[in-house]
Structures are given as structure tokens and as C-alpha cells.
Amino acid sequence: MVDCLGGKEMDINNNTESLPYVHKVGLPPKQTLFKEITATVKETLFSDDPLRQFKDQPRSRKFILGIQTLFPIFEWGRDYSFSKFKGDLVAGLTIASLCIPQDIGYAQLTNLKPQYGLYSSFVPPLVYAFMGSSRDIAIGPVAVVSLFLGTLLQDEIDPSKDPINYLRLAFTATFFAGITQLTLGLFRLGFLIDFLSHAAIVGFMAGAAITIALQQLKGLLGIAYFTKKTDIVSVMRSVWSTVHHGWNWQTIVIGVSFLAFLLLARHIGKKKKLFWIAAIAPLVSVILSTLLVYVTHADKHGVKTEAIAIGRTFASMKDYHIDGNKEMVALGTMNVVGSMTSCYVATGSFSRSAVNFMAGCNTAVPNIVMSLVVLLTLELITPLFKYTPNAILSSIVISAVIGLIDIEAVILIWRIDKFDFVACMGAFFGVVFSSVEIGLLIAVSLSFAKILLQVTRPRTAILGKLPRTTVYRNIQQYPEASKVQGILIVRVDSAIYFSNSNYIKERILRWLTDEEEHLKENDLPRIQFLIVEMSPVTDIDTSGIHALKELYSSLQKRNVQLVLANPGPMLVDKLHASRYAELIGEDNIFLTVAEAVHTCAPKMKELVEP
Amino acid sequence: MVDCLGGKEMDINNNTESLPYVHKVGLPPKQTLFKEITATVKETLFSDDPLRQFKDQPRSRKFILGIQTLFPIFEWGRDYSFSKFKGDLVAGLTIASLCIPQDIGYAQLTNLKPQYGLYSSFVPPLVYAFMGSSRDIAIGPVAVVSLFLGTLLQDEIDPSKDPINYLRLAFTATFFAGITQLTLGLFRLGFLIDFLSHAAIVGFMAGAAITIALQQLKGLLGIAYFTKKTDIVSVMRSVWSTVHHGWNWQTIVIGVSFLAFLLLARHIGKKKKLFWIAAIAPLVSVILSTLLVYVTHADKHGVKTEAIAIGRTFASMKDYHIDGNKEMVALGTMNVVGSMTSCYVATGSFSRSAVNFMAGCNTAVPNIVMSLVVLLTLELITPLFKYTPNAILSSIVISAVIGLIDIEAVILIWRIDKFDFVACMGAFFGVVFSSVEIGLLIAVSLSFAKILLQVTRPRTAILGKLPRTTVYRNIQQYPEASKVQGILIVRVDSAIYFSNSNYIKERILRWLTDEEEHLKENDLPRIQFLIVEMSPVTDIDTSGIHALKELYSSLQKRNVQLVLANPGPMLVDKLHASRYAELIGEDNIFLTVAEAVHTCAPKMKELVEP
């Protein structure tokens, strides 16, 4: 236990004779190994304390809570009221109107027939409504995943030549996607997703949006033969190579005019009151264009006729808590069930959820409403869709993915962190110029590289004394802080692990060498003490102890005494366990830098030569 | 520039009316993007300032320095003296006597004929003497690399069935190993090696030593048919299955007795004066046993005749600096040249270098002496080696690798860091029970996992005020520190990046929830201010800013005001660039916790109910 007289750094006038040394610092209470492991596992995997509510409850209550945790519908369903249903009905109808055209368009991205997109807006939302926790998310196929699935699957099987096996492959992929999500959620490995940086995701999504928009040129321009590749160079080649004989002017007119209409509706919809315009615009386009084609028999004229983040964003807006791992279990189950009922991968859709939110959803019921509407559509209306021009579907998809390009976020990234910006651009160009997989690979690699770089090159700083105080601060940030003669004070701003221990040791020695050169040039006395301020060093491992030992020896050879200041509890523990405290001498470990300076200053030897 | 009056945390009696707020904190001098990139690259890749000596030198001198950097022999060669040569000659002869038997044994590990081991002690040391910087390292084949190479290569080609192509493969592998080392060194990527933890290496080496020792049972027991696998289960099966008809008692007697002799010599050699006994024991064994077999025609009776870490260890003992990347270039060149001259992978050998050091080496000349002795051996003595029993070579290899098992290091690892211990054991058991590759994979994975875990779950702490001071410390470490009524003070002990931003935000909110529950139970006033002490937060990226924004909103909804204290220069910069400072209000950012508490305390509202 620390003697409270140790807090002497504030008052230079106080009596400082009974300065405690580290041997008066009691070691922190020794945790048994078991407790240490339990604490670490708890903080790593269960850091959001998901079983908090189960504490101190009778057994029957625990059972009920358990059922409610697995199937949250039994929790919010109890408080369901008619007023809530009103809001949910409106929201459900709104997102249904948005989802039908999108589903058909996205099914095309996946090289599947339109009805499979609709199936994926039928079963998965129902499963989610039972198991999910978000009150705002809207479930269904999404553009980026559809694109990803489409490009990956068509590398294996050609959908035009072998559609049955292609379909089977799609469902199998969906099944395994679901199993993966389930596993991650059950083993509470959701935190792995934290390792993909926000900047890389922004770049990746923007690149995917561009890629999807480019794919739509096929439908928009009425091109018959189109490249299977997704990168911008191949697509533009396809487009230009058919410019003389492949573009159909009726298709282009219909497509472009409806695209303009959709973009205008989207722009108007940004005002909160008029959001519904943006929401129903796609369906209106579909209906109008279908009628148009039906009436003008335009099809004869050659007009050919196709999450966790979301959850958290809305949750933080409405300020309720989402358990990421629980959500994953819900999404995983949804996809597993979906794969057995002719659905392909569904998840939370950003655009749909935004509309859901603005339309005033209260619970997960809009998803149920939407799936019922989709059911009706499948039973009654689907045959009409063969009249819907592909150009319309293409326009709808383009206007939907435009929203994935977040220019503001990119500008913010540029202003805040240049490495983040490089990661963002790397992911973007990887997707646009190569392929979705390469873009994703770049995004993941750059995220990891950033983590490793942070870890391997921590900051160190030289400290100086602020005048008229005993406070020591970084001399680069506080130019009025002045260095103490004959003493070099270095602060290490990170825990010392194998990944940086060598660097830290060499950096400290280099600070010393630089300082000695400077002193020599100016004929000033040499350094006799090197104080290392250890408060940011939250932990140390064997490589770190090893590096400290080497530092001590190197300094001994240079006639500089190593002094440690302000070690935290974990560090004190390990310095004793490794006998390092014995090695450098327990009277060379102080509670504060001020005490260390105060004790070392009188010990400095006067030398004739520095 | 910070107003030095900001350092007011020390004296509660002083006049505090002119407390500066952050808007008086000048932003640190803006670095251009180019300077920022140059500084980062320099610190990451050139952190040891290798071109320091080139500064301010005339052109001709730079040229000479350049040649000396590439070929250090031109540097130390100039000061070479006869007294140095005396020490080097003795050291060279000593390590030569050790290397000859070891080379033959290690060549067997690699499934190559004995002369290739000797070649690898001829060319590579010569190349190293020209290009290397370590004054103590001894070059040649090493046990672990030989084992690794042997197991990997025999998976591809069976050395007994196709020896010529096996040999070619070995040289090709050596060539590419050299190219890799060269590339890492030239691109200054040597720091990548820092990512393998010391603990994992200790476990891996111990496991490799056990595996090598087990392989020697073939020679020691005279077994004809032996498994190709290296794991302990397969080897023991091989051994026991031949117990009835495969063990040759003469072989066992010779092998075990010489092994006992070698281990005894090794033990005696631990005393510094008698180290030479351990050094020449293997050669003596070889000579004696060869004579014995020759004389007794025992062959008719069925008696069948590790670098950069090393460099650094010795360098730190003698306190000179090794440039890791330059060493890699030297080692890489050595292996590339070696691969073209019938040598296989050579590197610094721990045992040989230790002997070299204790024998009093001064420069890299012992390597030259050793290679000349090897040359003589190859010319004159090699035919005799067919009489050397395999059992002896096996004993020599066993006694050599025993030294790789560092029990003391394992005990130290156990005491200092339990996760490190898991990594150590994981690597050890992976090698022993599976294969060298699996063990290495486990070592690398656990090292990476540890890095990721550190990064994703940083420490946070609740701070309290030390009595009679204005210093705030961790209440778990300083039990006498007391919390301030109505204010919760949290310190975040890490930079806030995407890998931990979500966790940090949720952890802070959980601290708040826990505290509020506790206050409610005890009928105390609720929390109105949450101060985040930011001094350990050395940097922040876009995800971090995003998390801070969400934290702010969540707290607003709970009627708690967010306050930041003590942001570093990098952080102040980004808080302004992202307009976060505007968002929470510039008067809610303070230089110290004490100022923050001092300003917030009067603002607290009296409430009837907490």
C-alpha cells in the first residue's frame, strides 16, 4: 500500500525528508492465477457484462430471462401496444415499397432470378424479428454482399450454363456465412470485427458502390455482351466496345430519365419531412415503367426487361444498447434458416434501415410487415415484373448505392489521420481497379499494418521541469519546461512488450547520445543520471525486462546511473518477480520524477571535464 | 504554446483566477504532410540513424565510409595488430575443433553427406568476415535450421531415392533464404523480427532441441529403420518397435559412454577457466572413437561413423552496437554465395559463438581461421571420417542441443507473464508433438494474438484525489485516494484507435453505470460530470473521434457533462481538426484534472433526488 506522503510532487516547500522509497510501497494484493485468468477472459470476451441482469435472480426468473435473451420478441412483445403498431405498420409498408425493386435489382447482381431476392426479404426478416435486438434495422439482401457473392460464385460456376448448380452453390455459401456468424457470436469473438478500421471500410464501400454502379451500365445502356470482371478498366472497355452497335436508345432514355427522377427524389427526401418521397420513388418508377412498357409494348422494341454497424448507429441515436455478439447469433441463425428456404445472404441494409427509422419504427415489427407484403407480391404480382425494364432496375440500384459513397467521411479522415486516409484509398482503388476480394484484402492488411506500426514504434519524450513547480512535462509541448543539468529524463509512452522492447531500449540510448553530443558541443557537464518515467508503462513482459536489463548494462558502461520513476502496480510486481529491482537497486526506484531528481542531484559528482 | 501558468496542479492555495483554457493553448507547430511522412518513415525504418556518421563529411570521406559500411573488414582491418591475432588464432582453432564434428552431425540432420556440412563452415564464414559487424559470432550450420531444412525438404523429395535432386533443392532453398535475408536487410524491415516474442522463441528452441535429440536415437541405438516424422510419438514408436531386433549393443555402449563424457565435459566447462574442455571434447570424442573403430574394426561388428540474436547478445556484453539490418544483408549475401558453392544454410551458432567469445576473440578473424582449418580437413582428413561411428556424432549433436533448452528462462517467463508462458508452452508442444512448422506457426500466431489483445483491451482506471494534494491517482493503486462527489474521473491508458475505440467507449459507460448503481444503493448524489484524463492518449484516429462523439451523445442523454483533461499536442490538433472541440465546448477541455474539478464543482446542481 502506498504511503500517502508519497504525493509530494506538488509542493516544493514541504518537508521532504521522509520520502518513501519503493520498498515501502506494498506490492498490490497478489491475485491467484485463476483470478487473473478469469479477469482477463471477462474483460476480453465479456466486456459488456451480458449476464448482468441474471445476477441475484430466482431460478424461474432466470429461465424467463434466458428465453427472452435468446428470443427478444418475448421481451418487447409484452409491452406491445396499438400505437406502436401504427408506427410499425407505416414503416413496414414504406420499407416494403423500397425493398421490392431493390430485391429484384440485387438478385441480378448475384446472377440469380428475381424471385430469390424476394424470398430473401421474406424468411430472414421473420427470423430476425424473433431473435434480433435492434429496433430499427431492416433486413434483406444488400448491394455490396450481392455483388461480392455474385463475383465469387461466378468464378466457380457459370450461372448461364449451369444455373441449377449455381443456385445450390449460392445457398451453400449462405449456409456457411450463417454458420460463421453464429460461431463468432456464440464464442463472443465479435470483437474481431473491431480490427477492421473505419477508414478502410469507408474506402471499401465507396469502391463497391462504384463497381456496382458500373455493373448497372449493362442494364442502363442495354448492352447484350458484358464482361464478367468487375474492375473499372474491363467494364469501360465493354461499354466502349459496344458503343457502335450495342446501345439501345429507348433503354437509355428510360433508364436515364428514371435515374434522374430517383436522384431528384433522393435529394428532396433528405429533408426529414419529405423522406417518404425518396422511399416510394423506386416503387413508383417500377410501376410506371412497367405500365409504360406494357402499354407501348416497348419490350418488342428491344427494351429489355432486374448490419451490426447499422444496428449500432441507430442504437446510439436512440440510445439503447446492442450486444454485438447476440446480434451476430441472430443474423447467423437467420442466414442458416434462409439457406434452407431458398434465400441467399441477407443482412441489415443501410438505406432500408434509414427509411425504417425515419418512417417511425418502434420495434422489429416493420420487418414482419415487410415480409408479409413480399409474400403477397410473390403470390400475386410477380408475373408482371417481366415487363419491368432492366434499365429501371439498374437506375434503382445506382440510386441506392450512391448513398454508400460518403465523401464527408473521406474528407474527415484526410484531416484527422493521414495513414487512415491511405488505408481508405488503398481499399477504394483495390476494389475499383482490381476486384472486391483484393480491395477487402488491402483493407484488412492496411488495418493490421496500422495496428502493428502503433505497437512497434511507441512514443517517447524528454521531460523538463516547469518553472516554479515540481511538475515535469514534455519539452516539445511545453517549451518553457527546462531540462535539469546532468540528468536526462525520458518518459516511455507505452507498455513494454516484445514488439517494441528493442526499439524502446535503442531509442532511449539514442536520446542519451544526442543529448551528450549537444552538451559536448556547448561545453556543458555530462549526463550522470537517466531517469525513466514509467507511469504510461502499464505492463511489461519478459522481453521488456530483458531490454531494461540491457539498458541498465549499457548505461553502466557509459557511467550513467539508471533510475526508474512512478512505476504502476503491475510493473512493481514484475520488477520484483524478475529481481530487476534488486539489480538496479531498490533505492533507484522512486514514486515521482521530482523525488528522483531531488535525490540524485546531490549525488552528482563534480567533474573537471564533462 | 502553453501558458506556463497552466501548471497549477501543485498548489491549491494559489490564485487560480487566470486558469487558462484550451483556447489559450496554441496548437503545436503545424507540420507539412511531407515532413510528417518523412519523420514517421525515419522513426519506423531508420530508427537507429544508420547514416549518422555520414553527416557533414567531405565527398571522398563519404566514399570511404560507404565502402567501410558495406565491407566492415576495411574498417577494423586497419587497426589489426599481432596481439589481436594471437587471441583470434586461439579462438579460431578452438571453434574449428568444435565445428568439425558438429558439421558432420548437422549435415546428417539435413539428410546430406557430411562434406556439405564442412563446406558450409568454409565459404560462409569467409563471406561473413568481410561483410559482418559482430566481433564474436561464429558462423556455420546450426542444429535447428538443419532440422527444419531436413524435414521440409524430405517432404518434397526422398533423399535416399533421389539424392541429386535433393541436393539441388537444398541449395535452391539456401539461395532463397539468402535472398530473403538480403531483401529484409536492404529494405530495413528487420524490425519485423521483433514481432516474434522471446517467450515463443524459447519454447520453440526447446522443442526443437528435444526433437533433434530424439532424431539422434537412430544413431545412438543403431536402428536401421526410422520414421521420417519428427514428433515424439512417431519417434518413440519407431524406437520401441525395434527394441527386440534393432538395437545394437556395441553402438549403444559407445554412444552412451561418449555422451556421458561430453555432458561431463560440458558441465566442467561452465567454469570459465575450463571452458576449453567443453570445446575440444567433441573433437576428442571423434578422434578417439574413430581410432577405436579403426583399431577394433568395430565397423565390422555393426557399429555404424544458431545469428542476429547472438550478435546482439554478445554486442551488448561487450557494448558495441549491431545494426540488425546490416547484419541481415551480410548473412543474406553469405547464404547466396554459399548456395552457389555447395553450402547449405549457415548462420550464427550459439554454442560456437559462446566458445569463440570465451576463447577471447577480438574480431571476425576466428571465422577465417576456422574456415582454413576446415579446408585442410577437407583436403586431408575426410576419408578417415567413414570410421567415425554414427553414435558419436549423435552424442555430439545431443550434447550440443541440450544447451538450447533454457529452463531458467522458462521459469522467469512463468513468473513474469502468464500469457508469455502459454505462448512458450504452445510453441514447445507444437514442435514436440506435431512438427517444426506447426510449432513455428503456433509461436507466430500466439505472438500476434498477444499484440492484438494488448491493442484491443487497453486499461482504464478510476482516479481519486490524494488527500491534502491536488494530485489524482488510480484508486486501486492508492486506496487513500478518494473520489470526488458528483464527478467521475476516468483515465484512458492508451491511444484510441479503431482497434479499441468501441471498447473504450463502452468501458467508460460501464464505469459510469457501475458507479451510478453504487451511488443509488447508498443514497448518494448522482454523477453530473465525467472527466476523462487524456494524457496517456498519445494519438487518436477517425474511429476514435467517432467513439468520443458517441460517448458525448450518450452522456448528454444521461444528463452527464463530458469533460476532457490534459490532452497531448497530437490530440489537441485532432480535436480541433475534427471540430470535436467545438462540439463539446472548448470550455470543457482543461489542462489538468484538478482545474477541471475546480471549475466543475461549483457548477453542480443541487438535486432533491440523486
Side-chain angles (χ1 to χ4, degrees), chain B residues 465-486:
Chain B
K465 193 165 94 77
L466 290 181
R468 296 184 297 283
T469 73
T470 54
V471 173
Y472 290 80
R473 287 281 150 90
N474 184 351
I475 56 174
Q476 278 176 355
Q477 186 181 3
Y478 295 76
E480 69 280 9
S482 54
K483 296 189 245 188
V484 181
Q485 210 186 63

Side-chain angles (χ1 to χ4, degrees), chain A residues 80-102:
Chain A
Y80 207 59
S81 66
F82 186 70
S83 64
K84 281 189 186 168
F85 180 66
K86 278 198 297 183
D88 284 343
L89 181 64
V90 170
L93 291 173
T94 314
I95 56 173
S97 80
L98 187 60
C99 93
I100 290 164
Q102 280 186 348

Side-chain angles (χ1 to χ4, degrees), chain A residues 54 57-67:
Chain A
F54 286 81
Q57 298 284 357
R59 202 174 184 143
S60 55
R61 180 105 188 97
K62 276 193 188 169
F63 179 73
I64 293 174
L65 282 174
I67 297 290

Side-chain angles (χ1 to χ4, degrees), chain A residues 130-145:
Chain A
F130 271 81
M131 295 190 69
S133 332
S134 169
R135 301 195 285 240
D136 308 277
I137 207 171
I139 300 292
V142 293
V144 178
V145 173

Side-chain angles (χ1 to χ4, degrees), chain B residues 173-443:
Chain B
T174 305
F175 176 76
F176 280 109
I179 292 288
T180 309
Q181 285 170 309
L182 252 180
T183 314
L184 284 182
L186 283 172
F187 286 100
R188 305 201 59 81
L189 294 174
F191 70 89
L192 289 178
I193 288 177
D194 283 342
F195 289 126
L196 199 56
S197 78
H198 168 70
I201 291 177
V202 166
F204 176 79
M205 296 289 268
I210 300 278
T211 306
I212 293 168
L214 289 172
Q215 295 284 301
Q216 302 315 304
L217 287 179
K218 178 180 181 189
L220 206 61
L221 303 173
I223 302 171
Y225 299 106
F226 207 72
T227 177
K228 282 202 162 33
K229 291 189 181 169
T230 58
D231 63 284
I232 190 173
V233 174
S234 311
V235 169
M236 292 322 260
R237 268 210 206 118
S238 262
V239 168
W240 289 118
S241 67
T242 56
V243 70
H244 297 296
H245 51 266
W247 295 13
N248 181 300
W249 71 263
Q250 289 106 318
T251 307
I252 298 176
V253 165
I254 288 184
V256 172
S257 41
F258 273 100
L259 180 59
F261 165 64
L262 287 165
L263 291 175
L264 179 67
R266 181 191 188 82
H267 183 72
I268 295 175
K270 283 189 178 154
K271 301 184 189 6
K272 284 205 168 155
K273 297 230 164 192
L274 300 169
F275 77 92
W276 54 272
I277 290 181
I280 66 171
L283 189 62
V284 166
S285 314
V286 169
I287 294 170
L288 277 180
S289 60
T290 309
L291 282 175
L292 196 70
V293 170
Y294 185 71
V295 160
T296 65
H297 304 288
D299 56 336
K300 309 275 191 287
H301 287 286
V303 174
K304 296 194 191 300
T305 22
E306 255 141 30
I308 305 228
I310 299 177
R312 280 200 172 137
T313 310
F314 289 109
S316 70
M317 276 201 253
K318 284 191 180 173
D319 195 50
Y320 57 93
H321 178 71
I322 295 268
D323 178 346
N325 289 304
K326 206 165 88 168
E327 278 295 275
M328 272 217 204
V329 171
L331 293 171
T333 314
M334 174 179 99
N335 279 315
V336 168
V337 173
S339 68
M340 300 174 191
T341 52
S342 297
C343 307
Y344 75 96
V345 181
T347 181
S349 155
F350 269 113
S351 53
R352 236 177 272 191
S353 307
V355 169
N356 195 23
F357 177 77
M358 290 200 284
C361 59
N362 293 306
T363 64
V365 166
N367 284 296
I368 301 180
V369 173
M370 175 181 76
S371 59
L372 292 176
V373 173
V374 167
L375 179 63
L376 285 173
T377 310
L378 283 165
E379 292 298 311
L380 307 174
I381 311 177
T382 324
L384 292 175
F385 281 133
K386 68 177 184 192
Y387 292 106
T388 310
N390 279 348
I392 297 304
L393 298 175
S394 298
S395 319
I396 289 172
V397 171
I398 291 179
S399 81
V401 299
I402 291 284
L404 292 176
I405 305 177
D406 194 345
I407 302 284
E408 281 180 25
V410 177
I411 293 175
L412 191 68
I413 290 170
W414 166 258
R415 292 170 69 189
I416 292 183
D417 193 314
K418 304 296 187 284
F419 191 99
D420 264 2
F421 185 75
V422 168
C424 183
M425 288 296 108
F428 177 73
F429 287 117
V431 174
V432 170
F433 283 94
S434 182
S435 75
V436 177
E437 303 95 86
I438 298 289
L440 192 60
L441 187 68
I442 292 178

Side-chain angles (χ1 to χ4, degrees), chain B residues 10-277:
Chain B
M10 72 302 305
D11 195 335
I12 47 174
N13 290 328
N14 256 21
N15 189 354
T16 53
E17 61 191 8
S18 51
L19 280 178
Y21 296 111
V22 136
H23 61 261
K24 286 193 190 166
V25 174
L27 298 174
K30 202 103 189 75
Q31 272 187 325
T32 66
L33 179 59
F34 180 66
K35 273 195 193 161
E36 211 181 307
I37 292 178
T38 340
T40 310
V41 168
K42 182 173 187 287
E43 200 62 32
T44 308
L45 300 179
F46 296 87
S47 66
D48 55 353
D49 207 6
L51 301 178
R52 178 191 285 273
Q53 52 181 354
F54 286 81
K55 267 195 296 199
D56 315 319
Q57 300 283 356
R59 203 171 182 146
S60 56
R61 179 103 189 99
K62 276 193 188 170
F63 179 71
I64 293 175
L65 283 174
I67 297 287
Q68 283 182 347
T69 308
L70 265 182
F71 300 102
I73 193 173
F74 293 118
E75 193 184 359
W76 55 261
R78 297 166 64 213
D79 310 317
Y80 206 58
S81 65
F82 186 70
S83 64
K84 283 189 185 170
F85 180 66
K86 279 197 294 185
D88 284 344
L89 181 64
V90 170
L93 291 173
T94 314
I95 56 173
S97 80
L98 187 61
C99 92
I100 291 164
Q102 278 186 350
D103 289 348
I104 299 171
Y106 296 161
Q108 268 190 355
L109 274 179
T110 325
N111 308 308
L112 293 173
K113 292 203 174 61
Q115 59 265 34
Y116 295 105
L118 291 172
Y119 299 157
S120 308
S121 276
F122 173 50
V123 173
L126 282 177
V127 177
Y128 183 86
F130 272 81
M131 294 190 70
S133 331
S134 169
R135 300 195 284 241
D136 309 279
I137 207 171
I139 299 292
V142 293
V144 178
V145 173
S146 304
L147 172 78
F148 203 24
L149 200 63
T151 44
L152 283 180
L153 295 182
Q154 77 186 7
D155 281 344
E156 301 293 321
I157 299 180
D158 189 334
S160 43
K161 291 181 185 146
D162 194 359
I164 294 178
N165 276 326
Y166 185 86
L167 201 60
R168 282 198 187 122
L169 190 60
F171 297 148
T172 313
T174 305
F175 176 76
F176 280 109
I179 292 288
T180 309
Q181 285 170 309
L182 252 180
T183 314
L184 284 182
L186 283 172
F187 286 100
R188 305 201 59 81
L189 294 174
F191 70 89
L192 289 178
I193 288 177
D194 283 342
F195 289 126
L196 199 56
S197 78
H198 168 70
I201 291 177
V202 166
F204 176 79
M205 296 289 268
I210 300 278
T211 306
I212 293 168
L214 289 172
Q215 295 284 301
Q216 302 315 304
L217 287 179
K218 178 180 181 189
L220 206 61
L221 303 173
I223 302 171
Y225 299 106
F226 207 72
T227 177
K228 282 202 162 33
K229 291 189 181 169
T230 58
D231 63 284
I232 190 173
V233 174
S234 311
V235 169
M236 292 322 260
R237 268 210 206 118
S238 262
V239 168
W240 289 118
S241 67
T242 56
V243 70
H244 297 296
H245 51 266
W247 295 13
N248 181 300
W249 71 263
Q250 289 106 318
T251 307
I252 298 176
V253 165
I254 288 184
V256 172
S257 41
F258 273 100
L259 180 59
F261 165 64
L262 287 165
L263 291 175
L264 179 67
R266 181 191 188 82
H267 183 72
I268 295 175
K270 283 189 178 154
K271 301 184 189 6
K272 284 205 168 155
K273 297 230 164 192
L274 300 169
F275 77 92
W276 54 272
I277 290 181

